[in-house]
Amino acid sequence: MNETGPYEFDANKYGRAASHQKEWGTRLIAELKLHGNERILDLGCGHGVLTAKLTELVPGGQVVGVDSSQNMIEAARALAADRLSFRRLDIDELDYCESFDLVFSNATLHWVRNHGRLLDNVYRALRPGGFCRFNFAADGNCSHFNGVVRELMTDARFERFFENFNWPWFMPTLDEYEALLVGGPFVEHRVWGENADRYFADADEMTAWIDQPSLVPFLRQIDGPERMVFRNEVVGRLLTLTRQADGTHFETFRRINLLAMK
């Protein structure tokens, strides 16, 4: 199949599988120091729940959420209000200029492969004195899932579907990301790591996360009955690999944090 373009996600399934992303984002939002009149851009807003939380911090400001997934934006627009709006936009095509005091992103930017361009676009979108606050996946993230998928991609049953496949995520080391910032336009920045390893409560919770969003880039490559065969193999192998004695399932989650000032 080898489709191109933005990934489409099932907003309802994603919402049920994204408890850890919500936890990370809620903590990030709680740490923000704002005056209350800022204009905020949320990159990769998904179904808009965290974007709505940002609006609560700026009673005199405005918040805009952008996402490339039509399904996500349609779900998010149910939350739209006077000071909260949503726009379907690929982050790679960010087109704002000195429009925001804060550019925020939680658990999204590992889906953006070219962070040099991203950082330039974010800098342009910020007003003088504005800042960005990001949290996204780092090197070592989802090591069990990635290992299982990479092995199956080379399986004789599936390898033809992945001949021209580009790995969907950018998950740098701290040093690699620091190197992108050094000499860049931001007047001040700080990059730091975070270990957010997680125990999923049971097989159902783990499976929900595998299906949405983790498997989406891979299943859209596969035509016919092999699609569900691939999906079931990934789920089965991963559940076996990650199962703990108490019935939970363990996966590695490693994060990069960025705070940068214009």
Side-chain angles (χ1 to χ4, degrees):
M1 183 174 291
N2 290 313
E3 294 181 14
T4 59
Y7 299 113
E8 276 298 338
F9 301 100
D10 185 312
N12 292 326
K13 289 182 179 179
Y14 179 85
R16 292 192 294 268
S19 59
H20 48 302
Q21 289 98 327
K22 292 176 188 175
E23 290 171 13
W24 300 333
T26 299
R27 187 173 69 249
L28 255 63
I29 290 170
E31 294 171 357
L32 293 171
K33 307 298 183 186
L34 301 175
H35 298 291
N37 60 351
E38 288 86 353
R39 184 171 167 84
I40 301 173
L41 176 64
D42 183 8
L43 297 181
C45 64
H47 50 7
V49 172
L50 291 175
T51 323
K53 285 185 177 292
L54 286 167
T55 309
E56 298 171 6
L57 299 183
V58 286
Q62 291 182 314
V63 181
V64 178
V66 300
D67 202 288
S68 63
S69 168
Q70 183 65 36
N71 292 334
M72 289 293 202
I73 287 296
E74 288 177 0
R77 282 177 175 154
L79 302 175
D82 288 343
R83 296 180 295 104
L84 174 62
S85 61
F86 297 94
R87 177 187 179 193
R88 187 184 184 190
L89 178 69
D90 192 315
I91 292 173
D92 282 333
E93 299 172 4
L94 205 62
D95 56 0
Y96 294 102
C97 183
E98 295 192 358
S99 302
F100 299 96
D101 303 291
L102 165 63
V103 177
F104 174 92
S105 188
N106 173 67
T108 295
L109 296 180
H110 45 278
W111 294 92
V112 177
R113 295 171 61 97
N114 187 337
H115 273 233
R117 177 171 58 191
L118 167 72
L119 292 168
D120 286 343
N121 288 344
V122 167
Y123 182 87
R124 187 179 67 249
L126 285 168
R127 293 169 173 167
F131 69 102
C132 62
R133 179 68 173 93
F134 301 156
N135 176 290
F136 62 95
D139 180 55
N141 195 68
C142 298
S143 58
H144 299 106
F145 175 87
N146 291 343
V148 166
V149 167
R150 286 187 184 278
E151 182 178 350
L152 278 173
M153 286 170 60
T154 63
D155 187 293
R157 295 170 294 169
F158 310 117
E159 60 182 351
R160 69 185 185 278
F161 297 111
F162 296 100
E163 289 177 355
N164 300 309
F165 181 70
N166 291 317
W167 191 251
W169 301 301
F170 172 63
M171 298 180 181
T173 65
L174 284 177
D175 288 345
E176 288 169 342
Y177 210 70
E178 178 68 31
L180 286 176
L181 275 296
V182 172
F186 290 97
V187 298
E188 183 180 348
H189 73 270
R190 185 163 70 95
V191 177
W192 69 100
E194 179 184 355
N195 184 333
D197 291 352
R198 187 174 184 87
Y199 290 89
F200 291 87
D202 52 34
D204 288 343
E205 186 179 61
M206 182 76 167
T207 300
W209 166 76
I210 296 170
D211 281 330
Q212 289 285 333
S214 305
L215 269 177
V216 168
F218 305 94
L219 294 188
R220 82 171 189 175
Q221 294 291 118
I222 304 174
D223 281 323
E226 289 91 348
R227 176 179 292 177
M228 285 307 297
V229 174
F230 185 90
R231 180 266 179 194
N232 292 340
E233 287 255 8
V234 171
V235 171
R237 293 189 186 191
L238 200 55
L239 290 179
T240 299
L241 178 63
T242 62
R243 185 178 295 116
Q244 308 297 299
D246 62 358
T248 61
H249 291 265
F250 174 79
E251 183 56 286
T252 60
F253 286 93
R254 308 295 164 83
R255 321 301 296 165
I256 280 181
N257 288 274
L258 171 67
L259 175 63
M261 312 293 294
K262 180 170 181 177

Short mmCIF file of all heavy atoms in Angstrom, two decimals, residues 205-235:
data_model
loop_
_atom_site.label_atom_id
_atom_site.label_comp_id
_atom_site.label_asym_id
_atom_site.label_seq_id
_atom_site.Cartn_x
_atom_site.Cartn_y
_atom_site.Cartn_z
N GLU A 205 -5.21 -2.88 28.47
CA GLU A 205 -4.67 -1.52 28.42
C GLU A 205 -3.45 -1.45 27.51
O GLU A 205 -3.29 -0.50 26.73
CB GLU A 205 -4.31 -1.04 29.83
CG GLU A 205 -3.88 0.41 29.88
CD GLU A 205 -3.55 0.88 31.28
OE1 GLU A 205 -2.62 0.32 31.90
OE2 GLU A 205 -4.22 1.82 31.74
N MET A 206 -2.59 -2.47 27.59
CA MET A 206 -1.42 -2.51 26.73
C MET A 206 -1.83 -2.62 25.26
O MET A 206 -1.29 -1.92 24.39
CB MET A 206 -0.54 -3.70 27.12
CG MET A 206 0.75 -3.83 26.34
SD MET A 206 1.96 -2.62 26.90
CE MET A 206 3.46 -3.24 26.13
N THR A 207 -2.80 -3.45 24.97
CA THR A 207 -3.25 -3.65 23.60
C THR A 207 -3.86 -2.39 23.02
O THR A 207 -3.64 -2.05 21.85
CB THR A 207 -4.27 -4.81 23.54
OG1 THR A 207 -3.65 -6.01 24.02
CG2 THR A 207 -4.75 -5.04 22.12
N ALA A 208 -4.61 -1.66 23.84
CA ALA A 208 -5.20 -0.40 23.36
C ALA A 208 -4.13 0.58 22.94
O ALA A 208 -4.26 1.26 21.91
CB ALA A 208 -6.08 0.21 24.46
N TRP A 209 -3.04 0.65 23.71
CA TRP A 209 -1.94 1.56 23.34
C TRP A 209 -1.21 1.06 22.09
O TRP A 209 -0.80 1.87 21.25
CB TRP A 209 -0.97 1.67 24.52
CG TRP A 209 0.33 2.30 24.13
CD1 TRP A 209 0.57 3.63 23.90
CD2 TRP A 209 1.57 1.63 23.86
NE1 TRP A 209 1.88 3.83 23.52
CE2 TRP A 209 2.52 2.61 23.49
CE3 TRP A 209 1.97 0.29 23.93
CZ2 TRP A 209 3.84 2.29 23.18
CZ3 TRP A 209 3.29 -0.02 23.61
CH2 TRP A 209 4.20 0.98 23.25
N ILE A 210 -1.05 -0.24 21.93
CA ILE A 210 -0.42 -0.77 20.73
C ILE A 210 -1.23 -0.39 19.49
O ILE A 210 -0.67 0.05 18.48
CB ILE A 210 -0.29 -2.31 20.81
CG1 ILE A 210 0.65 -2.71 21.96
CG2 ILE A 210 0.23 -2.88 19.50
CD1 ILE A 210 0.64 -4.20 22.27
N ASP A 211 -2.54 -0.52 19.58
CA ASP A 211 -3.40 -0.24 18.43
C ASP A 211 -3.46 1.24 18.09
O ASP A 211 -3.48 1.62 16.92
CB ASP A 211 -4.82 -0.75 18.71
CG ASP A 211 -4.95 -2.25 18.51
OD1 ASP A 211 -4.22 -2.82 17.67
OD2 ASP A 211 -5.79 -2.88 19.19
N GLN A 212 -3.52 2.10 19.09
CA GLN A 212 -3.66 3.55 18.89
C GLN A 212 -2.78 4.27 19.89
O GLN A 212 -3.08 4.24 21.09
CB GLN A 212 -5.11 3.99 19.07
CG GLN A 212 -6.04 3.56 17.97
CD GLN A 212 -5.87 4.38 16.69
OE1 GLN A 212 -5.45 5.54 16.73
NE2 GLN A 212 -6.20 3.78 15.57
N PRO A 213 -1.70 4.90 19.44
CA PRO A 213 -1.38 5.18 18.05
C PRO A 213 -0.26 4.34 17.46
O PRO A 213 0.10 4.50 16.31
CB PRO A 213 -0.90 6.63 18.14
CG PRO A 213 -0.13 6.65 19.43
CD PRO A 213 -0.91 5.74 20.37
N SER A 214 0.31 3.42 18.24
CA SER A 214 1.63 2.86 17.89
C SER A 214 1.66 2.12 16.56
O SER A 214 2.62 2.26 15.79
CB SER A 214 2.10 1.94 19.03
OG SER A 214 2.09 2.63 20.26
N LEU A 215 0.64 1.33 16.27
CA LEU A 215 0.65 0.51 15.07
C LEU A 215 0.18 1.24 13.81
O LEU A 215 0.34 0.72 12.70
CB LEU A 215 -0.20 -0.74 15.27
CG LEU A 215 0.50 -1.97 15.82
CD1 LEU A 215 -0.50 -3.11 16.03
CD2 LEU A 215 1.62 -2.43 14.89
N VAL A 216 -0.39 2.42 13.96
CA VAL A 216 -1.00 3.11 12.82
C VAL A 216 -0.04 3.26 11.64
O VAL A 216 -0.41 2.96 10.49
CB VAL A 216 -1.58 4.46 13.27
CG1 VAL A 216 -1.95 5.33 12.06
CG2 VAL A 216 -2.79 4.25 14.16
N PRO A 217 1.21 3.72 11.84
CA PRO A 217 2.09 3.90 10.67
C PRO A 217 2.42 2.61 9.93
O PRO A 217 2.72 2.63 8.74
CB PRO A 217 3.37 4.50 11.28
CG PRO A 217 2.97 5.02 12.60
CD PRO A 217 1.88 4.12 13.08
N PHE A 218 2.37 1.49 10.63
CA PHE A 218 2.77 0.21 10.05
C PHE A 218 1.60 -0.47 9.35
O PHE A 218 1.76 -1.02 8.25
CB PHE A 218 3.36 -0.68 11.14
CG PHE A 218 4.50 -0.03 11.86
CD1 PHE A 218 4.27 0.68 13.04
CD2 PHE A 218 5.78 -0.06 11.35
CE1 PHE A 218 5.32 1.33 13.70
CE2 PHE A 218 6.83 0.58 11.99
CZ PHE A 218 6.60 1.28 13.16
N LEU A 219 0.43 -0.41 9.95
CA LEU A 219 -0.72 -1.09 9.35
C LEU A 219 -1.17 -0.42 8.05
O LEU A 219 -1.71 -1.09 7.17
CB LEU A 219 -1.89 -1.14 10.34
CG LEU A 219 -1.66 -1.99 11.59
CD1 LEU A 219 -2.95 -2.10 12.39
CD2 LEU A 219 -1.13 -3.39 11.23
N ARG A 220 -0.94 0.87 7.91
CA ARG A 220 -1.37 1.51 6.67
C ARG A 220 -0.46 1.11 5.50
O ARG A 220 -0.78 1.40 4.35
CB ARG A 220 -1.45 3.02 6.82
CG ARG A 220 -0.16 3.79 6.68
CD ARG A 220 -0.47 5.28 6.64
NE ARG A 220 0.69 6.08 6.31
CZ ARG A 220 0.65 7.40 6.12
NH1 ARG A 220 -0.49 8.04 6.24
NH2 ARG A 220 1.74 8.06 5.81
N GLN A 221 0.64 0.44 5.77
CA GLN A 221 1.51 -0.05 4.71
C GLN A 221 1.01 -1.37 4.11
O GLN A 221 1.45 -1.75 3.03
CB GLN A 221 2.92 -0.31 5.27
CG GLN A 221 3.67 0.92 5.73
CD GLN A 221 4.04 1.81 4.59
OE1 GLN A 221 3.61 2.95 4.51
NE2 GLN A 221 4.85 1.30 3.67
N ILE A 222 0.13 -2.06 4.83
CA ILE A 222 -0.15 -3.46 4.51
C ILE A 222 -1.54 -3.62 3.92
O ILE A 222 -2.53 -3.14 4.48
CB ILE A 222 -0.01 -4.33 5.78
CG1 ILE A 222 1.39 -4.16 6.39
CG2 ILE A 222 -0.29 -5.79 5.47
CD1 ILE A 222 1.57 -4.86 7.72
N ASP A 223 -1.60 -4.32 2.79
CA ASP A 223 -2.87 -4.64 2.14
C ASP A 223 -3.34 -6.03 2.55
O ASP A 223 -2.54 -6.90 2.88
CB ASP A 223 -2.70 -4.63 0.62
CG ASP A 223 -2.69 -3.22 0.05
OD1 ASP A 223 -3.44 -2.39 0.57
OD2 ASP A 223 -1.92 -2.97 -0.89
N GLY A 224 -4.65 -6.23 2.43
CA GLY A 224 -5.21 -7.58 2.51
C GLY A 224 -5.15 -8.20 3.88
O GLY A 224 -4.96 -7.53 4.91
N PRO A 225 -5.29 -9.54 3.91
CA PRO A 225 -5.36 -10.25 5.19
C PRO A 225 -4.08 -10.16 6.02
O PRO A 225 -4.11 -10.36 7.23
CB PRO A 225 -5.65 -11.70 4.78
CG PRO A 225 -5.18 -11.80 3.36
CD PRO A 225 -5.43 -10.46 2.76
N GLU A 226 -2.96 -9.85 5.35
CA GLU A 226 -1.70 -9.75 6.10
C GLU A 226 -1.74 -8.62 7.14
O GLU A 226 -0.99 -8.64 8.11
CB GLU A 226 -0.53 -9.53 5.16
CG GLU A 226 -0.15 -10.73 4.31
CD GLU A 226 -0.88 -10.76 2.99
OE1 GLU A 226 -1.84 -9.96 2.82
OE2 GLU A 226 -0.50 -11.57 2.12
N ARG A 227 -2.62 -7.64 6.92
CA ARG A 227 -2.68 -6.52 7.86
C ARG A 227 -3.03 -7.01 9.27
O ARG A 227 -2.35 -6.68 10.25
CB ARG A 227 -3.70 -5.49 7.40
CG ARG A 227 -3.88 -4.33 8.39
CD ARG A 227 -4.88 -3.31 7.91
NE ARG A 227 -4.39 -2.59 6.74
CZ ARG A 227 -5.11 -1.69 6.09
NH1 ARG A 227 -6.34 -1.40 6.46
NH2 ARG A 227 -4.59 -1.05 5.04
N MET A 228 -4.09 -7.80 9.39
CA MET A 228 -4.49 -8.28 10.72
C MET A 228 -3.53 -9.35 11.24
O MET A 228 -3.34 -9.47 12.45
CB MET A 228 -5.91 -8.82 10.68
CG MET A 228 -6.97 -7.72 10.63
SD MET A 228 -6.78 -6.48 11.96
CE MET A 228 -7.04 -7.49 13.43
N VAL A 229 -2.91 -10.08 10.33
CA VAL A 229 -1.90 -11.05 10.76
C VAL A 229 -0.73 -10.31 11.41
O VAL A 229 -0.26 -10.70 12.49
CB VAL A 229 -1.41 -11.91 9.57
CG1 VAL A 229 -0.26 -12.82 10.01
CG2 VAL A 229 -2.55 -12.74 9.01
N PHE A 230 -0.28 -9.25 10.78
CA PHE A 230 0.81 -8.44 11.33
C PHE A 230 0.40 -7.85 12.67
O PHE A 230 1.16 -7.95 13.66
CB PHE A 230 1.16 -7.32 10.34
CG PHE A 230 2.35 -6.49 10.75
CD1 PHE A 230 3.63 -6.84 10.35
CD2 PHE A 230 2.19 -5.34 11.52
CE1 PHE A 230 4.73 -6.07 10.72
CE2 PHE A 230 3.28 -4.56 11.89
CZ PHE A 230 4.55 -4.93 11.49
N ARG A 231 -0.77 -7.27 12.71
CA ARG A 231 -1.25 -6.67 13.97
C ARG A 231 -1.30 -7.70 15.09
O ARG A 231 -0.84 -7.46 16.22
CB ARG A 231 -2.62 -6.05 13.74
CG ARG A 231 -3.24 -5.38 14.96
CD ARG A 231 -4.16 -6.31 15.73
NE ARG A 231 -4.72 -5.66 16.91
CZ ARG A 231 -5.33 -6.31 17.87
NH1 ARG A 231 -5.43 -7.65 17.84
NH2 ARG A 231 -5.84 -5.67 18.92
N ASN A 232 -1.87 -8.85 14.81
CA ASN A 232 -2.01 -9.87 15.86
C ASN A 232 -0.66 -10.42 16.31
O ASN A 232 -0.48 -10.74 17.49
CB ASN A 232 -2.92 -11.00 15.37
CG ASN A 232 -4.36 -10.55 15.19
OD1 ASN A 232 -4.78 -9.54 15.77
ND2 ASN A 232 -5.12 -11.28 14.39
N GLU A 233 0.28 -10.51 15.38
CA GLU A 233 1.62 -10.98 15.74
C GLU A 233 2.31 -9.96 16.66
O GLU A 233 2.94 -10.34 17.65
CB GLU A 233 2.46 -11.20 14.48
CG GLU A 233 2.06 -12.43 13.68
CD GLU A 233 3.05 -13.56 13.85
OE1 GLU A 233 3.94 -13.46 14.71
OE2 GLU A 233 2.91 -14.55 13.11
N VAL A 234 2.21 -8.69 16.32
CA VAL A 234 2.81 -7.67 17.17
C VAL A 234 2.21 -7.71 18.56
O VAL A 234 2.93 -7.73 19.57
CB VAL A 234 2.64 -6.26 16.55
CG1 VAL A 234 3.07 -5.18 17.55
CG2 VAL A 234 3.44 -6.13 15.27
N VAL A 235 0.90 -7.72 18.64
CA VAL A 235 0.23 -7.72 19.94
C VAL A 235 0.62 -8.95 20.75
O VAL A 235 0.99 -8.86 21.92
CB VAL A 235 -1.30 -7.65 19.77
CG1 VAL A 235 -2.00 -7.88 21.11
CG2 VAL A 235 -1.71 -6.30 19.18
#
